[in-house]
Amino acid sequence: MFFDLIFVVAIGDVTHILNHTHEGHLAPLQFWQYVLAFIPLWWIWVSHTMYANRFDADDRKHRLATLFIMFLVIIISGLIDQRFLASFDAIIVCYACSKYIIAIMYFVSKHRHKESAQLTTAVGWVSLAGATISLASILFPPPQRYVVLYLGILFDLVAFVFFLPRRLQGIPVHTEHLIERVGLLTLILLGESVISLSTGLANISWTMEGSVALAYRRWPIR
């Protein structure tokens, strides 16, 4: 729960990007900043959840690793919003370090789960490779750097979806835990979306005539 609360703050800062409108409209740059900031955070959460669902030992090593990831997510959260593009390199370094920690967690797990040593090693190397590709994005100027960033995430995603499922079948998923985690993230996203929507609507001067006209345009009487 503490881990997810950190993501509440981070996702709240991401959605705050969409609060700044110009003459009632969102600039295309704001939308792309939102996407660029949200997907790496989402993938950190997914990667940690997939590890915890199968290999969480709830020991000191796992807790310390999770705390380090939370610390890096807090840094990312502080760099988002107005300074996002200017702080892009620092954000990518924090993202890559989070993925490196998750890769190390997989490598350490092979000593605890000897029956799945090949699987944890393979997933660890995949996470390591994906994070390295994304980290290499800081060597490129925009917009190429954004492409390289997402190539690393896409590499991870493709590997987990198409190449690792057969190996992952050997270790059953804790279904109840996974449903609970995904449901919690969904609630976080819905809650932050409502907060952002409310903030945006608060700056609009509402009148009875305007509300009726808007409702009529949305649901015309036939």
Side-chain angles (χ1 to χ4, degrees):
M1 181 64 71
F2 187 29
F3 180 79
D4 289 333
L5 288 176
I6 298 299
F7 278 85
V8 171
V9 177
I11 293 174
D13 287 333
V14 172
T15 56
H16 188 65
I17 295 174
L18 302 178
N19 287 344
H20 306 288
T21 58
H22 303 281
E23 297 181 354
H25 300 282
L26 287 173
L29 180 61
Q30 287 177 263
F31 174 77
W32 288 113
Q33 285 183 6
Y34 173 79
V35 173
L36 285 171
F38 174 76
I39 292 183
L41 283 171
W42 168 79
W43 191 238
I44 292 173
W45 185 91
V46 170
S47 300
H48 184 274
T49 298
M50 289 191 297
Y51 169 84
N53 187 261
R54 285 187 167 93
F55 303 105
D56 183 6
D58 196 24
D59 57 7
R60 183 176 300 177
K61 294 179 181 178
H62 176 84
R63 293 180 182 180
L64 287 175
T66 301
L67 284 173
F68 277 122
I69 294 174
M70 292 162 62
F71 175 72
L72 292 169
V73 171
I74 290 174
I75 295 177
I76 294 174
S77 176
L79 296 174
I80 291 174
D81 200 16
Q82 297 298 325
R83 298 176 294 167
F84 175 73
L85 295 179
S87 306
F88 185 80
D89 289 353
I91 291 174
I92 296 307
V93 170
C94 290
Y95 164 79
C97 288
S98 298
K99 291 290 295 180
Y100 285 144
I101 292 173
I102 294 173
I104 293 172
M105 292 166 71
Y106 275 107
F107 290 137
V108 172
S109 293
K110 71 179 181 181
H111 302 293
R112 194 167 49 239
H113 304 274
K114 298 185 182 298
E115 71 283 358
S116 58
Q118 291 185 347
L119 169 62
T120 53
T121 301
V123 177
W125 281 114
V126 166
S127 299
L128 198 66
T132 302
I133 294 172
S134 294
L135 182 61
S137 65
I138 64 177
L139 302 176
F140 297 85
Q144 290 88 347
R145 61 170 46 188
Y146 309 134
V147 175
V148 177
L149 164 64
Y150 280 99
L151 280 177
I153 298 175
L154 183 63
F155 175 85
D156 263 359
L157 188 60
V158 169
F160 274 100
V161 172
F162 295 104
F163 297 105
L164 294 175
R166 291 184 179 179
R167 295 188 179 186
L168 291 172
Q169 288 176 358
I171 303 177
V173 174
H174 194 301
T175 305
E176 294 181 0
H177 173 262
L178 189 61
I179 292 174
E180 178 184 349
R181 302 280 286 123
V182 174
L184 185 57
L185 180 65
T186 303
L187 288 175
I188 291 172
L189 293 176
L190 289 175
E192 292 298 337
S193 299
V194 171
I195 292 173
S196 297
L197 180 61
S198 300
T199 303
L201 294 177
N203 297 323
I204 299 177
S205 179
W206 293 95
T207 62
M208 181 62 70
E209 294 80 4
S211 300
V212 172
L214 179 62
Y216 178 78
R217 290 183 61 186
R218 180 63 183 85
W219 296 289
I221 300 174
R222 299 186 182 278

